[in-house]
Amino acid sequence: MNSTEKEISYKTTNTYSTLNSFTAQTKNVWFVCHGMGYLSRYFLKYFTELNPKQNYIVAPQAQSKYYLPPNFKHVGSSWLTKENTEKETQNVLRYFDAVFEAERLSQAKNLIVLGFSQGVSVAMRYVAHREISCSKLVLMSGGLPKELTADNFSFLKADVYFTYGTQDEYLDERRIQQESEKAKILFGNRVSILPFTGTHTVNKNLINTLA
C-alpha cells in the first residue's frame, strides 16, 4: 500500500460557554478547562455555588466530539490524544487565543485558570506558551505535561494548587507521587498539594474556597 499523509490548514468554528455576567462587581474571572467526556456547558455546574455577582466563568469547549459509551446517545469531547499531539496542541492554543480575545480575558484583574483531568494539560500548556499572568492556577486530578519545565513557568507569580482524590481510579499511589514531585519541580514553593477524600471528581470545596 502506497499511502501518504498530507496536511492542510483551514478555518473552523467552535463554541464556548459562560456562567453569570461580567460587570463592575465581578471579582474573579475563571477560565476553566473540562475533562474528557464533558461538554463545556455541563462542566459549568461545578461553579454554580460561587457568588454570581462576583464570579464570571468562561469554559472553552474541546473540539473533538464523540458519542459516549455504553449507549452512544450522549455526546462528550476530548482535547488531545497521542495522535499528532504537537499540532493539535497548537490548534487548541489558537482556539484559546480567540476565546481570550472575545472575552477580553487578558484584561481581567484576578484571573483563575483551572483544569480538570485532561483539561490540566491544555490549561498548563496555554499558561506556559502564552505566559498568561493569572492569579491562581488550579490543577485537578490530571497529569502534568512531560515536556514542560520550570523555565516555562519562570514568569508565573500565581499561587498554584494541585489537588486529587485519594480514591481516584485513574491515579495510583505511584502516579500520585510522580505528579506531586513534578508539580514541586515546576512551581517550587508556590504550589500547594491538596489531596481530598474522593474519586476522580471535581473538588468543589476547593473551588468555593478559592473564590
Side-chain angles (χ1 to χ4, degrees), residues 52-92:
K53 293 183 179 180
Q54 296 183 357
N55 293 275
Y56 181 58
I57 299 92
V58 178
Q61 173 62 63
Q63 297 98 317
S64 299
K65 317 293 194 307
Y66 59 93
Y67 285 106
L68 296 168
N71 296 324
F72 299 97
K73 292 182 179 180
H74 301 291
V75 176
S77 63
S78 172
W79 289 109
L80 297 168
T81 67
K82 64 181 179 180
E83 182 74 13
N84 276 339
T85 305
E86 187 173 343
K87 290 286 179 64
E88 293 293 343
T89 296
Q90 294 304 314
N91 289 335
V92 172

